[in-house]
Amino acid sequence: MKFFSLIFMTVFSLVLAGTGNPEKNQLFRKAAHEIVLSPERSMEVLDYIEKNFQLDDKESDRLIYLRAKSLYYQNNLTDALKIISKENEHFFPDLMILRRNILYSFNISDTFYPKDMPLNNDYRFSKKIGQLMTRISGNGKPVDSEELLVVLKEIRPCHPEVQRENMLTFSEYLAQHDSGRRYQDFLNQIRNLYKNDPVFKILYIKYLLKNNISGAAGILIAELPEESLEQSTNVYLKYRYYDLLVIYYSKTDQYLDYKEAVQKKEVLFNAIDRVAFSAKNKWFGILEENYRNELNSAITARRYILFSVLGIAVLLIIFISVRLFHIRSQIREYEDFRIKLRSNQDRKAVQSQGISEKTETLLLLKLQDFEKTTDYIRPDISLQSLAKKLDTNTKYLSEIINKHKQKNFNTYINELRINYITGKLKEHTVYRNYKIKYLAEESGFSTHSAFAAAFKAVNGLSPAHYIQLLTHKEEE
């Protein structure tokens, strides 16, 4: 009897061990689900998991992968590059695929291939898509329907989440080079595969607009989560969204909306361009440091080889020559990138000279007077309405706010609103008893979530925690 009891307990323990921690698994799913639309929130979940749970090797890999992806989506490429750097001793397939896609996003080919990686199905599929893209761009040969069927068949056994960036790049290329709507069915199936990912819906809508199917495009645009996209911390998602609006408003002759979408798109473009330049420079530094480490390791190893001093010298010269050739190629690419960026900056500087010094001073004074009022808590305030109130145009007003306040219009208004409600909380204790929803409405926000996000961005704390801190300090 004791023997059977022991067997039962052993089997039961193994079953429990296999199921893992339900809360931890749910948090991982939450982080993965929110990462595209709210990568900052996903990062908070990952920090909580790392702090409060014990992770096995597979879970640690999962956390590293999601963290690198979240940083990338937030345009924090410097920290993302630290994770995907070649210096890391342990590379698993998901991170290796993400590394290749991040580097590809600013036109750098990854030459690092771990020996055991080709055995992995996800990595093989990723490499196949890359080879297909290389073939298409090389000889211009279109993708036939059989090849697309193979892609659809093979991606489902793989992990669509891991292959997301590959499929996005591949789908964008097909959409841009399609003639006669031959790829519409494939793009629609990919959209359905990633049905909870707004990027693929945006890509499909742009494809419809390109082919003059404006009616269906308009219906799909109305289904997009406008407020969530506006508040998203995924810089690349927001850029794609505003790029879609620019195309849509242009085709439907909505001039004012078109101008506003162009301005928002340009702000994001500047941010992405600036960070990409810095990240590319950082990556060249990593390559150079890796080169020095490899060279030092080679020299140290060869000190113990006594075959021939001449043979070692020849090997080192060949090695250094090859490395220097690669570095010169990278430096030339880096210089071309700097010249292009400088040209863009000069062109934008010339465009920004349209405001006279007198007009700029007057507009700044008007903004100061505006900040002394509480007009900014009106829910219907917009760039257009404020420009009209200050007797100027939206272009001038947007440029003045960007230049002197170092923020865009929405961030500027949200900060004024948060400072207003923060003052109320400090000066009038009765406000601390109000519900967060009332505080949001009082300060001009249309939703609780938008208010909470803006409050945390300004004060570094959620509204509830901030009120607790104020109360605690007064009690002391």
Side-chain angles (χ1 to χ4, degrees):
M1 186 67 178
K2 291 183 178 180
F3 175 74
F4 288 109
S5 298
L6 181 62
I7 292 177
F8 175 78
M9 292 300 295
T10 302
V11 172
F12 184 71
S13 300
L14 289 174
V15 170
L16 286 179
T19 60
N21 188 310
E23 183 184 1
K24 178 172 59 178
N25 295 337
Q26 185 177 1
L27 287 170
F28 266 118
R29 287 193 294 271
K30 178 179 175 63
H33 177 73
E34 295 186 346
I35 196 166
V36 173
L37 200 57
S38 304
E40 184 181 28
R41 196 179 305 159
S42 178
M43 183 72 81
E44 293 175 355
V45 175
L46 295 174
D47 290 340
Y48 180 85
I49 293 173
E50 188 173 33
K51 183 179 178 181
N52 294 280
F53 295 97
Q54 205 168 21
L55 305 177
D56 58 32
D57 291 343
K58 187 175 181 181
E59 290 168 340
S60 296
D61 291 348
R62 177 75 170 155
L63 188 137
I64 291 170
Y65 169 80
L66 291 174
R67 190 181 295 281
K69 206 169 192 178
S70 177
L71 290 167
Y72 171 55
Y73 288 164
Q74 294 178 78
N75 206 28
N76 187 351
L77 296 184
T78 300
D79 289 341
L81 289 178
K82 290 178 183 177
I83 297 177
I84 65 167
S85 168
K86 188 176 177 180
E87 293 175 311
N88 286 274
E89 296 179 358
H90 176 54
F91 263 110
F92 48 96
D94 295 4
L95 189 63
M96 190 66 220
I97 294 169
L98 180 62
R99 167 193 166 107
R100 292 181 63 190
N101 287 313
I102 291 177
L103 294 179
Y104 181 81
S105 68
F106 41 91
N107 299 319
I108 293 180
S109 298
D110 190 15
T111 57
F112 176 55
Y113 297 97
K115 293 180 180 179
D116 58 342
M117 202 62 68
L119 301 176
N120 179 267
N121 288 333
D122 280 312
Y123 185 81
R124 283 207 302 265
F125 180 81
S126 175
K127 189 175 182 181
K128 179 177 181 177
I129 293 295
Q131 291 171 343
L132 192 58
M133 289 286 294
T134 302
R135 190 206 78 190
I136 298 169
S137 59
N139 57 27
K141 182 181 178 182
V143 187
D144 59 46
S145 57
E146 291 185 3
E147 289 177 308
L148 294 180
L149 286 174
V150 171
V151 170
L152 288 171
K153 181 179 179 181
E154 291 184 358
I155 190 177
R156 297 182 188 279
C158 295
H159 296 87
E161 173 194 340
V162 175
Q163 300 298 337
R164 177 187 184 271
E165 319 309 322
N166 281 325
M167 296 312 301
L168 181 57
T169 304
F170 183 60
S171 299
E172 279 186 323
Y173 189 91
L174 293 180
Q176 290 169 3
H177 296 82
D178 189 17
S179 58
R181 294 163 57 181
R182 71 170 70 186
Y183 303 134
Q184 182 173 355
D185 182 64
F186 174 82
L187 294 173
N188 191 39
Q189 290 195 56
I190 292 297
R191 176 175 70 96
N192 291 329
L193 180 64
Y194 294 93
K195 59 184 178 181
N196 295 322
D197 192 328
V199 172
F200 288 86
K201 179 176 279 190
I202 289 171
L203 171 62
Y204 186 71
I205 296 171
K206 287 173 66 176
Y207 174 83
L208 294 178
L209 290 173
K210 176 189 172 187
N211 288 277
N212 298 316
I213 313 176
S214 301
I219 294 172
L220 291 177
I221 287 176
E223 295 174 358
L224 290 173
E226 179 181 351
E227 184 175 340
S228 298
L229 290 169
E230 289 280 355
Q231 298 294 333
S232 175
T233 52
N234 186 333
V235 177
Y236 301 95
L237 170 61
K238 289 181 74 172
Y239 178 82
R240 292 173 187 275
Y241 174 61
Y242 290 135
D243 183 50
L244 168 64
L245 292 183
V246 168
I247 297 171
Y248 179 68
Y249 292 147
S250 174
K251 282 186 172 290
T252 55
D253 297 326
Q254 300 182 54
Y255 182 67
L256 293 178
D257 291 333
Y258 169 81
K259 285 181 63 178
E260 184 178 358
V262 167
Q263 290 172 356
K264 291 180 178 180
K265 177 184 171 182
E266 286 182 351
V267 170
L268 288 173
F269 173 79
N270 291 337
I272 292 171
D273 207 27
R274 183 174 62 254
V275 172
F277 170 78
S278 175
K280 201 165 189 178
N281 195 21
K282 172 74 174 176
W283 186 252
F284 289 142
I286 291 173
L287 291 178
E288 187 176 353
E289 186 175 351
N290 288 337
Y291 163 70
R292 287 196 299 267
N293 293 337
E294 290 175 11
L295 183 59
N296 292 334
S297 298
I299 292 173
T300 301
R302 285 174 176 80
R303 285 176 181 170
Y304 299 98
I305 302 175
L306 302 177
F307 294 151
S308 168
V309 174
L310 180 61
I312 293 175
V314 170
L315 288 174
L316 287 176
I317 290 171
I318 294 173
F319 177 76
I320 293 172
S321 298
V322 172
R323 295 296 298 180
L324 287 176
F325 174 77
H326 286 299
I327 288 176
R328 289 193 188 101
S329 300
Q330 292 162 354
I331 290 174
R332 283 196 296 270
E333 184 180 358
Y334 168 73
E335 290 298 332
D336 291 341
F337 184 82
R338 288 187 60 190
I339 291 170
K340 179 182 177 183
L341 181 63
R342 193 179 296 117
S343 174
N344 289 338
Q345 291 173 340
D346 292 343
R347 185 171 64 252
K348 291 166 187 171
V350 171
Q351 292 174 350
S352 65
Q353 292 175 358
I355 306 178
S356 67
E357 184 176 350
K358 180 179 178 181
T359 302
E360 187 172 340
T361 303
L362 180 60
L363 193 50
L364 278 172
L365 291 173
K366 289 182 178 180
L367 271 179
Q368 291 175 5
D369 293 337
F370 165 71
E371 291 169 2
K372 294 176 183 177
T373 71
T374 57
D375 290 348
Y376 47 78
I377 67 173
R378 291 172 51 190
D380 60 344
I381 192 168
S382 65
L383 183 65
Q384 289 80 6
S385 65
L386 183 57
K388 185 176 181 180
K389 179 180 178 66
L390 301 184
D391 195 24
T392 184
N393 59 57
T394 56
K395 179 181 179 183
Y396 281 13
L397 180 57
S398 178
E399 186 170 336
I400 289 297
I401 292 174
N402 287 332
K403 178 179 178 182
H404 292 277
K405 307 296 181 180
Q406 286 80 49
K407 51 182 74 74
N408 61 32
F409 174 77
N410 288 337
T411 305
Y412 168 66
I413 293 297
N414 285 347
E415 188 171 304
L416 290 175
R417 290 171 169 176
I418 295 303
N419 290 336
Y420 165 80
I421 203 65
T422 301
K424 293 289 186 182
L425 290 169
K426 288 179 179 177
E427 297 169 7
H428 306 288
T429 57
V430 67
Y431 274 80
R432 302 173 195 173
N433 299 321
Y434 294 156
K435 292 184 178 180
I436 302 301
K437 182 180 179 182
Y438 175 81
L439 297 178
E441 293 175 352
E442 170 71 13
S443 53
F445 287 89
S446 58
T447 65
H448 169 280
S449 60
F451 169 71
F455 195 98
K456 186 171 183 180
V458 174
N459 293 313
L461 296 170
S462 67
H465 288 166
Y466 185 83
I467 292 171
Q468 288 178 0
L469 183 62
L470 280 178
T471 306
H472 179 70
K473 284 185 177 179
E474 290 190 356
E475 290 176 352
E476 290 179 351

